[in-house]
């Protein structure tokens, strides 16, 4: 089992591949990690060192793993924070080549664009490329609530809204859409939800899972969640089971982080819980009323 993970990388802390690789490895998955940035730490600290990598370097790294036969053995290509519009184009080209060579390969795109608190935080050229180039190539996308609404160009305040907007977005490519950090009109104040909508040949199905809201908001939770979802899918879980597993495992990490009172997620400390969380939150089937 192997995944090609194309994301940012930091020396200190847990975002991008620095949040995603270890959890996938703890599920027995061989991870081919290709960086899009090399930074000392995530933004938000008083200083940050390093840089977004040159697109040609990322292209060379991807060509190198392709030359090693990775496209023939990988189950999933996962992409996250890209850093530049040029890298977005490089990743799209790589995914197209990969799918042409291995039609069974799944592309999971975490469309990192921004969040509800800060709005868009990537270069202005990236969001249109994410919407019009990368997401149409994807089988699975995992936007947060803010990113989902941006991709759809419409608000989604109810479960019916989410399902309707997801169905419209699916026409353009992805067959599975997972909306993280969802806060809908009927979401309890002490909870946070994740919603999955999936298109099958006959119809679409939807599920939602709620976990308790904790008094922390560390960076990298979306990167961690997507890695856990992908891990479950690679190991054979269907979408609702993968949704339940990812929500349960990330809650375990965040609960440990809250108890420790640290800014960075306690991913390594929670290693045993990544594949086997002690508390399970079930995904509930939902549909438009």
């Amino acid at each position: 089992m192997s995944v090609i993970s194309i994301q940012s990388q930091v020396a200190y802390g847990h975002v991008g591949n620095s949040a995603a690789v270890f959890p996938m490895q703890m599920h027995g998955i061989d991870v081919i990690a290709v960086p899009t940035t090399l930074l000392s730490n995530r933004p938000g600290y008083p200083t940050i060192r390093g840089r977004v990598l040159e697109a040609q370097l990322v292209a060379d790294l991807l060509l190198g793993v392709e030359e090693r036969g990775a496209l023939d053995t990988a189950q999933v290509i996962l992409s996250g924070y890209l850093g530049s519009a040029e890298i977005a184009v490089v990743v799209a080209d790589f995914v197209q080549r990969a799918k042409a060579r291995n039609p069974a390969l799944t592309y999971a795109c975490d469309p990192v664009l921004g969040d509800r608190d800060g709005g868009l935080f990537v270069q202005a050229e990236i969001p249109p490329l994410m919407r019009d180039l990368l997401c149409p190539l994807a089988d699975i996308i995992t936007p947060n609530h803010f990113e989902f609404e941006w991709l759809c160009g419409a608000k989604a305040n109810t479960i019916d809204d989410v399902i309707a907007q997801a169905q419209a977005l699916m026409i353009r490519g992805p067959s599975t859409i997972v909306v993280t950090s969802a806060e809908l009109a009927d979401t309890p104040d002490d909870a946070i939800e994740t919603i999955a909508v999936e298109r099958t040949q006959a119809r679409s199905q939807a599920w939602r899972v709620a976990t308790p809201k904790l008094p922390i908001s560390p960076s990298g939770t979306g990167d961690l969640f997507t890695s856990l979802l992908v891990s479950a899918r690679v190991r054979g879980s269907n979408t609702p089971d993968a949704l339940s597993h990812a929500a349960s495992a990330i809650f375990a990490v965040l609960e440990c982080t809250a108890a420790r009172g640290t800014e960075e997620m306690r991913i390594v400390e929670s290693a045993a819980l990544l594949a086997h969380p002690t508390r399970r939150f079930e995904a509930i089937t939902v549909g438009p009323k």
Side-chain angles (χ1 to χ4, degrees):
M1 297 182 291
S2 65
V3 170
I4 302 171
S5 183
I6 311 166
Q7 305 192 52
S8 60
Q9 182 176 324
V10 295
Y12 177 90
H14 298 290
V15 297
N17 269 337
S18 302
V21 171
F22 180 69
M24 289 190 281
Q25 291 172 332
M26 287 301 297
H27 286 79
I29 296 168
D30 185 18
V31 184
I32 301 165
V34 178
T36 58
T37 73
L38 285 176
L39 300 170
S40 58
N41 47 265
R42 60 171 173 81
Y45 286 99
T47 60
I48 186 169
R49 310 293 180 184
R51 68 181 192 275
V52 175
L53 298 183
E54 296 78 13
Q56 186 56 55
L57 174 56
V58 178
D60 285 346
L61 293 172
L62 291 172
L63 179 60
V65 301
E66 184 176 351
E67 290 170 341
R68 301 286 74 76
L71 299 185
D72 298 322
T73 57
Q75 282 74 45
V76 175
I77 294 174
L78 167 61
S79 71
Y81 182 82
L82 300 177
S84 72
E86 293 78 13
I87 292 176
V89 174
V90 165
V91 172
D93 181 62
F94 178 71
V95 170
Q96 288 173 317
R97 295 200 313 271
K99 288 200 161 199
R101 180 165 182 151
N102 180 3
L105 194 150
T106 294
Y107 173 39
C109 176
D110 182 5
V112 179
L113 301 175
D115 55 39
R116 184 182 284 107
D117 293 333
L120 294 172
F121 55 56
V122 296
Q123 293 180 7
E125 299 84 4
I126 292 177
L129 288 171
M130 192 69 73
R131 178 190 61 208
D132 302 329
L133 183 61
L134 286 166
C135 284
L137 292 172
D139 302 286
I140 302 168
I141 64 171
T142 58
N144 62 35
H145 197 155
F146 169 84
E147 292 160 343
F148 176 70
E149 291 182 332
W150 192 94
L151 292 170
C152 295
K155 291 292 184 181
N157 297 318
T158 68
I159 190 64
D160 290 0
D161 292 341
V162 172
I163 294 171
Q165 296 298 340
Q167 289 171 334
L169 198 56
M170 286 173 178
I171 295 172
R172 293 151 57 186
S175 57
T176 302
I177 297 174
V178 182
V179 183
T180 64
S181 301
E183 295 188 47
L184 304 180
D186 62 344
T187 302
D189 292 339
D190 61 351
I192 193 159
E193 294 195 280
T194 308
I195 300 160
V197 185
E198 185 168 75
R199 183 187 66 229
T200 62
Q201 291 183 345
R203 58 192 177 90
S204 63
Q205 295 177 281
W207 304 269
R208 67 195 295 183
V209 59
T211 55
K213 185 183 291 185
L214 296 166
I216 57 170
S217 184
S219 297
T221 54
D223 308 322
L224 173 59
F225 176 88
T226 301
S227 76
L228 293 165
L229 183 83
V230 165
S231 296
R233 288 289 296 260
V234 168
R235 293 184 63 84
S237 295
N238 59 21
T239 294
D241 284 344
L243 177 63
S244 292
H245 173 71
S248 302
I250 196 170
F251 178 79
V253 173
L254 294 180
E255 192 173 40
C256 177
T257 305
R260 291 293 188 184
T262 58
E263 289 192 34
E264 299 290 341
M265 290 186 291
R266 309 301 294 180
I267 293 176
V268 176
E269 188 174 329
S270 307
L273 301 173
L274 293 170
H276 304 288
T278 55
R279 185 176 178 186
R280 182 173 172 87
F281 300 91
E282 296 293 343
I284 300 169
T285 302
V286 294
K289 298 181 179 63

